[in-house]
Amino acid sequence: MTSLPRPPATNLLRLLFLGLSTLASPSRAQLELHVPASLARLQAVEGAEAVLPVWYTLQGEVSSVQGLKVFLIWLFKQEGKEQVQLLSRFNGNTTSKNPRASLVYSKPSWNVSLHLRVLQETDTGSYSCSVNLLDSQNRDRGSSIKTLELNVLVPPAPPSCHLLGVPHVGANVTLSCQSPRSKPAAQYQWERPPPSAQVFFAPVSDATRGSLRLTNLSTSMSGVYICKAHNMVGSARCNVTLEVSTGPRAAVVAGAVVGILIGLGLLAGLVLLYQRWGKSLEEPANDIKEDAIAPRTLPWPKGSDTISKNGTLSSVTSARALRPPPSRPGALTPTPSISSQAPPSSKLPRTDGAHPKPTSASPGGVSSSALSRMGAVPVMVPAQSQAGSLV
């Protein structure tokens, strides 16, 4: 079978298509970013360093990439937060918004790997590398983007060990161990060092919660217990000393001491309260009342004579009333005195220029001895002048 010659028009169209393809290829380069498959997900330890490897290639003739500028951006996105820019480089100038982030090669290179120093747990997240090719007029001539995952692990922080319960013979106690920080979560292992070497497992030991349950204690269980907190990147430990007591329960002793102290405090409070109450009763009785009024009458034995209002014995009466003799103005008024067997007189003898002498009288004919037996006491009462003063 023979082939027929093609028309000239068909060959002409074919040549034209090949020419246009050759002219268009230098206008847009074929850019591609590369990340090793085994390094797309990285794990690093807090405080260490990490390198996120990325490089790019251009496919095509050398003439097609001459004069093109590379615009590089590294972006970071933490879970639950918005994406932020970490670093950028354009036309040879690098700008970093994180002092711990930089490029592995400071000069323009095909290798655009990111270097992170002094890693923190908050550096965990997604890192995206974007590369754009621009011509002299800043027109896009090619672009590519790759994403890597970084997980920052944290070794367990030093745990704290505690003893829960009262360690006496026959009792039950729990040893607890907990690390405040660990990523991933720490696992716990309890053990005893030599010479009583022993490792504890479930069910007495809880590897997730870090607790160790000891039942029916005996004196042979006394000693040091070590807790080890560990994860895939580190470990830490703490210890607690168990001393099993054979005496009375510490709780009972402590309760008795507290009860005694409370009782002594209450007793001291009652004593102070009683003393203050006694003082409050004594203070009104000890007050001196300067304006107190003397009693109007004094108690005398039955059958005794009466007393005047001012508390002095001005007259003594028995069966009959005693009537004192009349006195002149300005003269002393004598008080009745007791005399022996003196007859009563109605008038007092007087002399010119001399004060009258008081005379004694026995009222009602009662003798002085009889008055004395009755309990009478002779008293001098000062007379009062016309001006109202005592003479």
Side-chain angles (χ1 to χ4, degrees), residues 161-172:
C161 294
H162 300 282
L163 170 64
L164 305 177
V166 180
H168 60 85
V169 173
N172 303 330

Side-chain angles (χ1 to χ4, degrees), residues 24-282:
S25 58
S27 63
R28 186 172 183 85
Q30 296 181 4
L31 174 67
E32 185 177 0
L33 285 175
H34 302 275
V35 175
S38 60
L39 300 178
R41 292 180 176 272
L42 300 175
Q43 288 186 344
V45 181
E46 186 180 47
E49 299 180 349
V51 174
L52 281 63
V54 179
W55 68 91
Y56 67 89
T57 58
L58 294 174
Q59 296 181 359
E61 298 180 0
V62 176
S63 59
S64 65
V65 296
Q66 289 180 350
L68 295 180
K69 296 177 289 186
V70 178
F71 181 39
L72 168 67
I73 300 177
W74 272 99
L75 304 171
F76 171 64
K77 186 178 187 308
Q78 193 175 8
E79 185 178 359
K81 296 184 180 180
E82 295 183 357
Q83 192 176 49
V84 295
Q85 179 178 324
L86 283 181
L87 180 146
S88 65
R89 181 163 68 180
F90 178 69
N91 200 20
N93 297 323
T94 304
T95 303
S96 177
K97 295 186 177 181
N98 188 336
R100 298 183 293 108
S102 63
L103 293 174
V104 174
Y105 296 96
S106 58
K107 294 182 180 181
S109 172
W110 304 96
N111 192 331
V112 291
S113 300
L114 181 66
H115 181 209
L116 297 175
R117 300 181 302 275
V118 193
L119 290 175
Q120 301 176 1
E121 186 180 0
T122 54
D123 293 332
T124 299
S126 301
Y127 292 81
S128 299
C129 178
S130 174
V131 177
N132 297 319
L133 295 179
L134 305 176
D135 59 13
S136 58
Q137 298 179 358
N138 292 333
R139 291 179 298 184
D140 185 15
R141 296 303 181 184
S143 63
S144 181
I145 186 170
K146 287 290 184 180
T147 301
L148 299 87
E149 299 289 337
L150 176 63
N151 184 23
V152 180
L153 305 179
V154 181
S160 57
C161 294
H162 300 282
L163 170 64
L164 305 177
V166 180
H168 60 85
V169 173
N172 303 330
V173 296
T174 300
L175 306 182
S176 67
C177 176
Q178 194 69 34
S179 176
R181 189 165 176 260
S182 177
K183 182 183 176 182
Q187 296 292 308
Y188 301 94
Q189 178 69 60
W190 281 95
E191 60 184 21
R192 292 185 67 182
S196 302
Q198 186 179 2
V199 179
F200 299 92
F201 299 96
V204 295
S205 177
D206 190 332
T208 303
R209 297 182 179 180
S211 61
L212 175 63
R213 179 72 172 173
L214 300 176
T215 59
N216 194 18
L217 291 179
S218 62
T219 55
S220 61
M221 301 173 68
S222 299
V224 178
Y225 289 76
I226 299 175
C227 173
K228 181 181 178 182
H230 60 90
N231 62 11
M232 59 189 304
V233 293
S235 64
R237 61 181 57 197
C238 65
N239 62 77
V240 61
T241 301
L242 177 65
E243 295 181 359
V244 181
S245 174
T246 58
R249 298 186 179 183
V252 176
V253 176
V257 172
V258 172
I260 292 174
L261 293 178
I262 294 176
L264 292 176
L266 293 176
L267 181 60
L270 292 175
V271 171
L272 293 176
L273 183 62
Y274 178 77
Q275 290 179 351
R276 291 189 177 182
W277 179 73
K279 290 182 179 179
S280 63
L281 293 179
E282 291 178 359

